[in-house]
Amino acid sequence: MTGNSNFRNLKETYLFSEIAKRVEAFKGANPQADIIRLGIGDVTRALPETVIRALHAAVDEMGDATTFKGYGPEQGYSFLREAIAAHDFASRGCDIAADEIFVSDGAKSDTANFTDLFGKGNRIGVPDPVYPVYFDSNVMTGHFGVPTASGFENLHLMPCFPENDFKPAIPTEKLDILYLCSPNNPTGVAMTYDQLKSWVDYALANKALILFDAAYVAFIREDGVPHSIYEIPGARGCAVEFRSYSKTAGFTGLRCAYTVVPKELDVSDGSGGTLNLRKMWLRRQTTKYNGVPYIVQKGAAALYTTDGQAECKERIDGYLKNAGAIREAFAKRGYRVWGGVNAPYVWLGVPEGQTSWEFFDTLLNRLHLVGTPGSGFGSRGEGYFRLTGFGSPERTAEAVERLSRL
Ligand code: MLT
């Protein structure tokens, strides 16, 4: 066979694999070091009790021939999709039908897999810094055009920096596909209603598609921050939304998420006709994917009960408290900080004269703390650093204490 040479255009390892490799090497050389990991955004609290009970009950159903389930419905069980439509959308005035919801194993895989639906020659807007999956998945599938001196012909980096509060400006050129994430990974900043509306208006005017990653929506605490892109008029005609239970409910190890593809999303087929994105996504998923296990979907549905909601909120409040403490510890020492208010991530400027990876080494070697170098999220991330609020309260307090030695 011949291999997919697009892979030559990727960095050799995925960002979080590189960090894990470096931390393992440090641990090998310093076996006594008590390392606190605030790098990858992985939850530490156990699953909510309500979910555990639902999982147990579903396991029992699978052990009884009268209630056993084999292959599930293509887009996910309707008990879950109906609950999503009612609780996550109708309750916020968004008109999303259950058959526009596709249950899946993760927002990471869905955002990456969605590139299967892109035709050739699209101009793709990607914020910089950015969750690396958006960028790398387009490189893998060859949607980047040709490599250029500064990047790739068809991947248009949308710079984010302190002056624009790490929110990309509306493009002055015509782009066809736009990746947006709010509350943002990695910077932790969240778009206001007016800011998101400007993107929807741009997309409608330019017949562009917005891929809106709302994986961190449950962390929004401030008014004026939309919880769904469908709160913006017209968004059904230009946007796909990705959601996840990973950070909302501690499902990073269980795996469940969903993607919303409204029925009216028709795109050009490049030769005068149209293609319907919802039908294409259905075709793609039914061909390449067999769905989330029944047991897991039962666990996810339990999150929409009153107890489930309360347990999630209590966990997220805790993670936000951690993020607030980290943010405050750095701000007190004169660091520039963003995020940590509507998001679990705190983004900070590293001390002058150091690169992001040098700061990573400083924290690891001196304080035995692991974070994520901003440059791993794109060239505009150089000079910045990300820490997560997903540690336990005790370990986060210990990390904050160690920061006093910086
Ligand atoms: C992160 O740390 O950026 C996230 O955990 C990655 C992910 O959700 O895939």
Side-chain angles (χ1 to χ4, degrees), residues 135-214:
F135 193 92
D136 287 358
S137 57
N138 276 291
V139 172
M140 285 180 187
T141 40
H143 293 307
F144 53 82
V146 290
T148 63
S150 58
F152 296 100
E153 182 193 12
N154 288 337
L155 293 183
H156 295 254
L157 296 180
M158 306 190 290
C160 301
F161 37 74
E163 290 71 22
N164 61 15
D165 194 30
F166 288 99
K167 294 169 191 167
I170 300 292
T172 48
E173 69 233 286
K174 186 180 168 347
L175 300 181
D176 304 303
I177 296 168
L178 303 154
Y179 284 89
L180 296 176
C181 175
S182 179
N184 189 264
N185 179 12
T187 63
V189 300
M191 275 193 236
T192 64
Y193 181 92
D194 289 344
Q195 286 164 344
L196 191 55
K197 181 174 182 316
S198 310
W199 284 97
V200 169
D201 292 346
Y202 170 90
L204 292 170
N206 289 280
K207 293 191 171 20
L209 176 72
I210 296 176
L211 298 177
F212 186 69
D213 185 346

Side-chain angles (χ1 to χ4, degrees), residues 16 39-41 108 131 185 216 247 345 386:
F16 294 106
I40 190 164
K108 174 179 179 171
Y131 179 42
N185 179 12
Y216 299 94
K247 317 296 158 80
Y345 298 120
R386 194 194 78 174

Side-chain angles (χ1 to χ4, degrees), residues 33-155:
D34 174 23
I35 296 174
I36 302 179
R37 294 166 197 260
L38 304 178
I40 190 164
D42 195 5
V43 291
T44 49
R45 291 282 305 271
L47 287 166
E49 286 284 302
T50 318
V51 172
I52 294 296
R53 278 196 299 275
L55 294 174
H56 279 297
V59 168
D60 288 342
E61 284 185 69
M62 293 298 268
D64 178 339
T66 62
T67 47
F68 168 78
K69 305 278 184 299
Y71 291 123
E74 297 172 329
Q75 288 183 228
Y77 284 93
S78 65
F79 62 76
L80 178 56
R81 287 184 294 113
E82 298 286 352
I84 292 169
H87 290 268
D88 291 348
F89 297 102
S91 69
R92 301 200 66 84
C94 305
D95 172 26
I96 296 297
D99 63 354
E100 296 172 315
I101 294 164
F102 294 76
V103 176
S104 75
D105 70 337
K108 174 179 179 171
S109 31
D110 279 4
T111 51
N113 292 335
F114 219 82
T115 58
D116 277 2
L117 273 49
F118 300 174
K120 291 208 184 321
N122 285 300
R123 284 149 299 186
I124 303 170
V126 187
D128 180 11
V130 75
Y131 179 42
V133 172
Y134 312 153
F135 193 92
D136 287 358
S137 57
N138 276 291
V139 172
M140 285 180 187
T141 40
H143 293 307
F144 53 82
V146 290
T148 63
S150 58
F152 296 100
E153 182 193 12
N154 288 337
L155 293 183

Side-chain angles (χ1 to χ4, degrees), residues 366-405:
R366 287 182 45 199
L367 308 183
H368 301 165
L369 275 188
V370 180
T372 308
S375 55
F377 298 103
S379 61
R380 289 269 179 180
E382 182 54 274
Y384 298 92
F385 201 76
R386 194 194 78 174
L387 287 161
T388 89
F390 285 121
S392 69
E394 299 75 28
R395 297 296 274 166
T396 305
E398 164 72 18
V400 165
E401 167 63 28
R402 290 184 196 178
L403 290 174
S404 63
R405 286 190 257 134

